[in-house]
Amino acid sequence: MAPAQEKLKSDDELPDLESVVDMTTFSQILEMDDPDDHSFSSSIVFDFFDQAEQTFTEMDDALDAKDLYELSARGHFLKGSSATLGLVKVRDGCEKIQRYGKKENVDGTPEPDEALCLSRIEDVIKVVKDDISDARRVLTSYYDKKEKEDA
């Protein structure tokens, strides 16, 4: 089953798979696929993207409500699922969201200025959304190529 085709720029403009995904982690997921059938791993990957989209909607709502606790919780949630796939940039960005939501700096020291924490979260969310968009494009291309190779 092929993932939904997205409007991609040329393949030359796609980041390398290795720059988006930790291949050691991702390879563990790929090992669960049957030979010549990547539907198991692709379902995990594309379910993650659907889940991330929903989580970003929740984050946007929490940002509007200035709800640091919810932002931290959503960051923690997305951090775990992105780490499972090996999406290191996404994981690291979500770690920042989690910390800022807990009124901490990246190094874990307290940051009492809630407005500063919210501003930082808003900035990081934009970066993480871009990182997830890159990951989706790269992994869509990866699975499209695998499907053609297996045909």
Side-chain angles (χ1 to χ4, degrees), residues 129-142:
K129 285 179 177 180
D130 286 344
D131 290 340
I132 285 184
S133 177
D134 285 346
R136 182 188 293 263
R137 290 175 44 236
V138 167
L139 288 167
T140 296
S141 176
Y142 171 83

Side-chain angles (χ1 to χ4, degrees), residues 113-129:
D113 186 341
E114 288 187 18
L116 177 60
C117 291
L118 286 165
S119 174
R120 288 175 172 172
I121 289 171
E122 186 173 16
D123 292 342
V124 173
I125 286 174
K126 290 175 188 171
V127 172
V128 173
K129 285 179 177 180

Side-chain angles (χ1 to χ4, degrees), residues 34-149:
D34 291 330
D36 300 327
D37 181 7
H38 306 283
S39 59
F40 180 77
S41 66
S42 69
S43 69
I44 291 172
V45 167
F46 292 100
D47 285 350
F48 164 79
F49 291 125
D50 292 342
Q51 179 185 66
E53 190 174 312
Q54 176 60 38
T55 302
F56 281 124
T57 298
E58 294 166 359
M59 282 184 178
D60 291 342
D61 292 345
L63 196 56
D64 289 342
K66 300 180 182 191
D67 186 343
L68 287 171
Y69 176 82
E70 184 63 22
L71 287 160
S72 179
R74 297 296 95 218
H76 175 75
F77 173 76
L78 198 54
K79 178 182 76 172
S81 53
S82 60
T84 300
L85 294 178
L87 301 177
V88 179
K89 289 180 184 178
V90 175
R91 179 202 65 203
D92 293 349
C94 290
E95 170 74 19
K96 291 177 183 178
I97 294 167
Q98 181 183 1
R99 287 197 178 271
Y100 297 149
K102 291 165 60 174
K103 295 195 297 185
E104 295 177 354
N105 292 301
V106 174
D107 64 3
T109 58
E111 177 49 68
D113 186 341
E114 288 187 18
L116 177 60
C117 291
L118 286 165
S119 174
R120 288 175 172 172
I121 289 171
E122 186 173 16
D123 292 342
V124 173
I125 286 174
K126 290 175 188 171
V127 172
V128 173
K129 285 179 177 180
D130 286 344
D131 290 340
I132 285 184
S133 177
D134 285 346
R136 182 188 293 263
R137 290 175 44 236
V138 167
L139 288 167
T140 296
S141 176
Y142 171 83
Y143 282 107
D144 286 348
K145 286 177 185 173
K146 285 291 183 191
E147 186 175 291
K148 286 176 187 172
E149 290 171 7

Side-chain angles (χ1 to χ4, degrees), residues 4-62:
Q5 275 292 337
E6 292 199 336
K7 291 183 181 180
L8 298 178
K9 299 176 185 173
S10 75
D11 282 346
D12 295 338
E13 295 181 45
L14 285 175
D16 292 334
L17 181 65
E18 295 80 14
S19 71
V20 174
V21 178
D22 172 65
M23 290 307 295
T24 301
T25 304
F26 189 58
S27 293
Q28 293 173 353
I29 294 169
L30 294 176
E31 288 174 7
M32 293 185 245
D33 282 334
D34 291 330
D36 300 327
D37 181 7
H38 306 283
S39 59
F40 180 77
S41 66
S42 69
S43 69
I44 291 172
V45 167
F46 292 100
D47 285 350
F48 164 79
F49 291 125
D50 292 342
Q51 179 185 66
E53 190 174 312
Q54 176 60 38
T55 302
F56 281 124
T57 298
E58 294 166 359
M59 282 184 178
D60 291 342
D61 292 345

